[in-house]
Amino acid sequence: MKTLKIAVAGLGTVGAGLVKLLSDNAEIIALRAGRRIEVVAVSARDRSRDRGVAIPASVAWYDDAAKMADEAECDVVVEVIGGSDGIARQVVENAIAKGRHVVTANKALLAHHGAALARAAEDKGVLLAFEAAVAGGIPIIKALKEGLAGNVISQVTGILNGTCNYILTTMRETGRDFADVLGEAQALGYAEADPSFDIDGIDAAHKLSILTSLAFGTPVDFASVHVEGIRHVSADDIRFADLLGYRIKLLGIARMTDHGIEQRVHPCMVPVKTPIATVDGVFNAVVAEGNFVGRSIYEGRGAGAGPTASAVAGDIIDIARGSRVPAFGVPAAALKAQGVASIDRRVGAYYMRLSVVDRPGVLAEVAATLRDEGVSVEQMIQPARSPADSVPMVMTLHDTEEAAMNRAVARISALDAVLEQPRIIRIEAL
Amino acid sequence: MKTLKIAVAGLGTVGAGLVKLLSDNAEIIALRAGRRIEVVAVSARDRSRDRGVAIPASVAWYDDAAKMADEAECDVVVEVIGGSDGIARQVVENAIAKGRHVVTANKALLAHHGAALARAAEDKGVLLAFEAAVAGGIPIIKALKEGLAGNVISQVTGILNGTCNYILTTMRETGRDFADVLGEAQALGYAEADPSFDIDGIDAAHKLSILTSLAFGTPVDFASVHVEGIRHVSADDIRFADLLGYRIKLLGIARMTDHGIEQRVHPCMVPVKTPIATVDGVFNAVVAEGNFVGRSIYEGRGAGAGPTASAVAGDIIDIARGSRVPAFGVPAAALKAQGVASIDRRVGAYYMRLSVVDRPGVLAEVAATLRDEGVSVEQMIQPARSPADSVPMVMTLHDTEEAAMNRAVARISALDAVLEQPRIIRIEAL
């Protein structure tokens, strides 16, 4: 069969990793794909930079990636530039317009324009593939689109951001503060100079919105994701979680509920015995729940040159083999929006940490407020009295509707004896 | 597109589960597959049995499954009868001969005839798919063949038999003996009346030989798997494992080594902190290691109507979508046998439990024997002296070659003070 010709837009860590993979593993890939796969064009600003990989002289260089997508003699354009708009979007749109398949690792692009791009690709009869956009090397996109395709999916949950998981893991292992660990992660290259995309949960929300679309057959709806990051998770919270038998993880949760689809990203306490609780460091994990398969769990490295290149290569091999699976698992025209379930409808347990004046009667006030809102206490930790002016008061609360919890928290925070805004972390049983 | 017509050979738990799945989830499957999927023929001995699922009157019944595979007007034959030869094999061969795609859950058949059947299917231009044959609902076959296809795989390891994992988990949780827990598992239907296929490791070895072929591009070579079951794992071993920080799991391990491919199934001690250590009960898990993706881990239910039907349905949907991936990931003619690495070459740590006479000097004798064979002790547990005639002596041994370990064990078992055959369990770091 004819060689499959690839153009790579972006020669950063991932792009260079892909070129290396396609070269190192060329023989086995040709055998598996049924044809040779060859990089024929690349685009990057600086041609002289050492990328740790040799670009053969026969490869066409383009300064302008969009132009390459438009003009290069290729079957597939790989977009590993990133960003929801600008050049990355232009590359993908140009490639599709010219009838070339697209493989991308770009979650932001898909979160914002996924449904439209899927439609455009379908109209042109080309594939839009993006295994690398979610959970790095773990083939979770393929699992949802193909392996589990016989199931009605009810829920997908995941640790989708390696930076956050690394920070939370390190905070727990060292007892250090968020700001301190973030600084170290930045120094080590695990977090960006501007870390907000990661630590404010936006990156995880991008990925979650893609999983949601695949799981439920809906157009990607990033705007409906409820997003909270990990900035407010304190060393105290992590310590108390340990005492209570939980781990704190930033989870993305997508659920089909009676009120529509719930999509949320926020720090969660998960029981230490659930498999996802021990997924540490830069690892990602996804839990999918189907009506016949039950629960299945996928773990692996969520980022980095190797895992991401592996995912891109898997998509390229699918194309070489003649795959015809639509971008989101069903024809783009069949993607059907569903109602959005507000997070106010969430029913579940909660962790609450208060900072209170150390005097008699405070617990009674707090307890009365919770009772008035129908919130009942499961466990409480009040450390021994201290010479300080304030003491922490920590409790876990039985299953409650979020709206009731919010009312209780508003009233509790208004109590004179409560010194700071209460810290709430949702408990997810999984 | 034209409806895809299915004939189901075998209406036991899995066959009935598949019919139910294809009916319950028909709408979403049609959307995902791009066409309707319809069961047009079934074969089972007893037509009147209540299987908890309605078989429409339009479905053709066959008493003889092989005849159905030969004659029924269908595109795909699903074989869920089981057994490495006999009727199951006849069904698959007839279906292929008639140019029908085959989906099977039959690991024994594939372990014994996988390479030949793959060749026959390819010659006829039909697919042979078997996601359900390994690890139930976990799409691990697809992950190895497609998702991770860009990688050179160096190792695949798994908890591949739910019955054994259930027994080992229950032994640990209750402190009860193997025989006792096996009896209970049989009563609960988790173990067969003749449990030997499961507990002697044969079922896990069937599955491992399939994973090996996929991982390394070799013809299935069941005969080369070193197989030990769990009959000899005692309540004592499980208790000592706990004390030493390990869990005992029956693992299947396939590794590319300098001496060829190593395939082995046997009880292992795995450090309690490795993700696979906490995969309990009837769950299965597979760990795959690729040269770019690194380590990825897959967990889920390993058996039962729902998970197995989910896997079969995934394969059917692939066929409906026009997949052309070869049975073992590369063309059958390209499957290439590699050398076989003997387990004698294994280098790793060991657990050893002795039953010794309670008198001074025994430890010195054992230690001297180990030293003479170049085996060094890492940890030792000798419980307080007891009034009994014998006491257990437990030690873990640093990385040693299996052949040296065997020599040491032979000499130790010949010592007068050693009362029973030493119990050895390999420690796998994973």
Side-chain angles (χ1 to χ4, degrees):
Chain A
M1 242 175 125
K2 235 177 50 172
T3 295
L4 188 77
K5 293 180 182 165
I6 314 289
V8 181
L11 278 184
T13 319
V14 175
L18 176 67
V19 171
K20 183 167 160 49
L21 182 156
L22 292 175
S23 160
D24 286 5
N25 296 352
E27 296 312 313
I28 183 80
I29 288 175
L31 215 52
R32 290 177 181 154
R35 56 206 281 201
R36 297 201 73 82
I37 291 170
E38 194 186 337
V39 176
V40 297
V42 296
S43 167
R45 281 199 212 107
D46 181 358
R47 297 192 187 192
S48 61
R49 213 179 102 206
D50 178 12
R51 297 180 166 87
V53 60
I55 309 283
S58 60
V59 171
W61 275 86
Y62 288 82
D63 295 315
D64 180 347
K67 195 178 164 204
M68 178 181 76
D70 199 44
E71 295 181 359
E73 288 278 338
C74 66
D75 307 298
V76 181
V77 173
V78 174
E79 185 275 305
V80 284
I81 296 169
S84 63
D85 286 280
I87 182 71
R89 185 177 177 188
Q90 200 57 56
V91 164
V92 171
E93 289 180 347
N94 286 5
I96 291 171
K98 281 295 169 78
R100 313 188 206 280
H101 303 290
V102 170
V103 178
T104 176
N106 191 334
K107 49 259 178 182
L109 176 70
L110 293 161
H112 287 282
H113 310 294
L117 291 172
R119 206 157 33 236
E122 242 172 78
D123 289 346
K124 281 290 189 175
V126 297
L127 290 198
L128 171 64
F130 45 83
E131 184 63 76
V134 182
I138 314 173
I140 183 62
I141 303 284
K142 183 173 279 284
L144 287 172
K145 270 166 73 167
E146 304 176 26
L148 306 182
N151 292 268
V152 174
I153 303 290
S154 56
Q155 180 169 341
V156 180
T157 303
I159 296 174
L160 301 173
N161 183 276
T163 305
C164 288
N165 206 42
Y166 170 82
I167 291 173
L168 292 171
T169 302
T170 307
M171 285 176 71
R172 178 173 168 271
E173 286 171 352
T174 62
R176 283 153 58 201
D177 268 336
F178 172 78
D180 187 16
V181 175
L182 170 61
E184 185 190 77
Q186 287 172 312
L188 290 169
Y190 293 165
E192 307 279 340
D194 175 0
S196 123
F197 248 52
D198 290 316
I199 64 175
D200 292 331
I202 300 157
D203 175 75
H206 284 152
K207 294 165 177 167
L208 182 70
S209 69
I210 296 168
L211 294 179
T212 305
S213 174
L214 290 162
F216 305 125
T218 51
V220 184
D221 180 15
F222 172 67
S224 298
V225 185
H226 173 94
V227 190
E228 300 169 31
I230 64 166
R231 283 184 201 265
H232 295 292
V233 176
S234 70
D236 278 351
D237 293 326
I238 290 196
R239 195 162 43 83
F240 286 120
D242 253 1
L243 284 171
L244 293 162
Y246 296 103
R247 293 276 188 278
I248 299 180
K249 297 288 177 192
L250 183 75
L251 295 188
I253 300 173
R255 239 181 225 153
M256 181 60 80
T257 78
D258 293 343
H259 310 292
I261 293 173
E262 181 178 85
Q263 294 187 84
R264 48 196 168 92
V265 169
H266 53 72
C268 294
M269 287 199 183
V270 293
V272 73
K273 285 220 147 191
T274 56
I276 213 172
T278 49
V279 174
D280 282 335
V282 296
F283 274 70
N284 280 196
V286 178
V287 184
E289 187 106 29
N291 66 338
F292 279 77
V293 72
R295 177 166 301 175
S296 58
I297 308 170
Y298 308 80
E299 286 177 46
R301 290 184 178 279
T308 312
S310 165
V312 171
D315 282 343
I316 293 174
I317 294 169
D318 277 352
I319 291 170
R321 284 168 164 168
S323 164
R324 298 179 221 155
V325 183
F328 291 96
V330 300
L335 291 169
K336 210 174 108 195
Q338 306 263 358
V340 174
S342 159
I343 193 162
D344 287 348
R345 300 274 206 172
R346 182 216 180 231
V347 174
Y350 293 84
Y351 155 96
M352 178 170 70
R353 177 171 58 82
L354 305 176
S355 179
V356 299
V357 177
D358 190 12
R359 66 164 165 75
V362 177
L363 176 58
E365 285 182 72
V366 170
T369 311
L370 290 168
R371 178 204 59 209
D372 292 350
E373 295 295 349
V375 177
S376 77
V377 176
E378 190 201 6
Q379 290 189 70
M380 200 185 89
I381 303 176
Q382 187 162 16
R385 298 198 149 197
S386 78
D389 292 336
S390 74
V391 291
M393 176 187 288
V394 168
M395 41 186 77
T396 59
L397 305 164
H398 281 297
D399 281 10
T400 304
E401 199 176 58
E402 177 107 358
M405 190 66 201
N406 285 342
R407 287 192 299 272
V409 169
R411 289 183 52 192
I412 288 169
S413 68
L415 296 173
D416 284 345
V418 173
L419 299 171
E420 293 169 11
Q421 176 63 21
R423 289 297 311 148
I424 304 296
I425 298 179
R426 297 175 191 91
I427 296 174
E428 293 292 331
L430 285 183
Chain B
M1 239 173 127
K2 236 179 48 177
T3 295
L4 189 77
K5 293 180 181 165
I6 314 290
V8 181
L11 278 184
T13 317
V14 175
L18 176 67
V19 171
K20 183 166 159 49
L21 182 155
L22 292 175
S23 160
D24 285 5
N25 295 352
E27 296 310 315
I28 184 79
I29 288 175
L31 215 51
R32 290 177 181 153
R35 55 206 283 200
R36 297 202 73 82
I37 291 171
E38 195 187 336
V39 175
V40 297
V42 295
S43 166
R45 282 200 212 107
D46 180 358
R47 297 191 188 194
S48 61
R49 211 178 104 208
D50 180 11
R51 297 178 166 88
V53 60
I55 309 284
S58 59
V59 171
W61 274 86
Y62 287 82
D63 295 316
D64 180 347
K67 192 175 168 210
M68 178 182 76
D70 199 46
E71 295 181 1
E73 288 277 338
C74 65
D75 306 299
V76 181
V77 173
V78 174
E79 185 274 303
V80 284
I81 295 169
S84 64
D85 286 280
I87 181 72
R89 185 178 177 189
Q90 202 54 57
V91 164
V92 170
E93 289 180 348
N94 287 4
I96 291 171
K98 281 295 168 80
R100 313 189 206 280
H101 302 291
V102 170
V103 178
T104 176
N106 191 334
K107 48 257 178 187
L109 176 70
L110 293 161
H112 288 282
H113 310 293
L117 292 173
R119 209 159 27 238
E122 242 172 78
D123 288 347
K124 281 290 190 176
V126 297
L127 290 198
L128 171 65
F130 45 83
E131 184 63 76
V134 182
I138 313 173
I140 183 64
I141 303 284
K142 184 175 275 286
L144 287 171
K145 270 167 73 166
E146 305 176 26
L148 306 182
N151 293 268
V152 174
I153 303 290
S154 56
Q155 180 170 342
V156 180
T157 303
I159 296 175
L160 300 174
N161 183 276
T163 304
C164 288
N165 207 41
Y166 171 83
I167 291 173
L168 293 170
T169 302
T170 306
M171 286 176 71
R172 180 173 167 271
E173 285 171 351
T174 63
R176 283 155 57 201
D177 269 336
F178 173 77
D180 187 17
V181 174
L182 170 61
E184 185 190 79
Q186 288 172 313
L188 290 169
Y190 292 163
E192 307 280 339
D194 175 359
S196 122
F197 249 52
D198 289 317
I199 65 174
D200 292 330
I202 300 157
D203 175 75
H206 284 153
K207 293 165 179 169
L208 182 70
S209 69
I210 295 168
L211 294 180
T212 305
S213 173
L214 290 162
F216 305 125
T218 51
V220 183
D221 180 16
F222 172 67
S224 299
V225 185
H226 173 93
V227 190
E228 301 170 30
I230 64 166
R231 281 184 202 267
H232 295 291
V233 176
S234 70
D236 277 352
D237 294 325
I238 292 196
R239 196 162 43 84
F240 286 120
D242 252 1
L243 283 171
L244 294 162
Y246 296 103
R247 294 277 188 278
I248 299 180
K249 297 288 176 192
L250 182 76
L251 294 189
I253 300 173
R255 242 183 222 152
M256 181 60 80
T257 78
D258 294 343
H259 310 291
I261 293 173
E262 182 180 84
Q263 294 188 83
R264 48 196 169 91
V265 170
H266 53 72
C268 295
M269 288 198 184
V270 293
V272 72
K273 284 219 147 194
T274 56
I276 213 171
T278 49
V279 174
D280 282 335
V282 296
F283 273 71
N284 280 198
V286 178
V287 183
E289 187 104 29
N291 65 339
F292 278 78
V293 72
R295 177 166 302 176
S296 58
I297 308 170
Y298 308 80
E299 286 177 46
R301 290 183 178 279
T308 312
S310 165
V312 171
D315 282 344
I316 293 174
I317 293 168
D318 277 353
I319 292 169
R321 282 167 165 168
S323 165
R324 299 179 221 155
V325 183
F328 291 96
V330 300
L335 292 169
K336 210 175 108 194
Q338 307 262 358
V340 174
S342 159
I343 193 160
D344 287 348
R345 300 274 206 172
R346 182 215 181 232
V347 175
Y350 293 84
Y351 156 95
M352 178 171 71
R353 178 171 58 81
L354 305 176
S355 179
V356 300
V357 177
D358 190 10
R359 65 163 167 73
V362 176
L363 176 58
E365 286 182 72
V366 170
T369 311
L370 289 168
R371 178 204 59 210
D372 292 350
E373 295 294 348
V375 178
S376 79
V377 176
E378 191 200 6
Q379 290 188 71
M380 201 187 88
I381 303 177
Q382 186 162 17
R385 299 197 145 200
S386 79
D389 291 337
S390 74
V391 293
M393 177 186 287
V394 167
M395 41 187 78
T396 59
L397 307 164
H398 281 297
D399 281 10
T400 305
E401 199 177 57
E402 177 108 357
M405 190 65 204
N406 286 341
R407 287 192 299 272
V409 169
R411 289 184 52 191
I412 288 169
S413 68
L415 296 174
D416 284 344
V418 172
L419 301 170
E420 294 170 11
Q421 175 64 19
R423 288 299 310 149
I424 304 296
I425 298 178
R426 296 174 191 90
I427 296 174
E428 292 291 331
L430 285 184

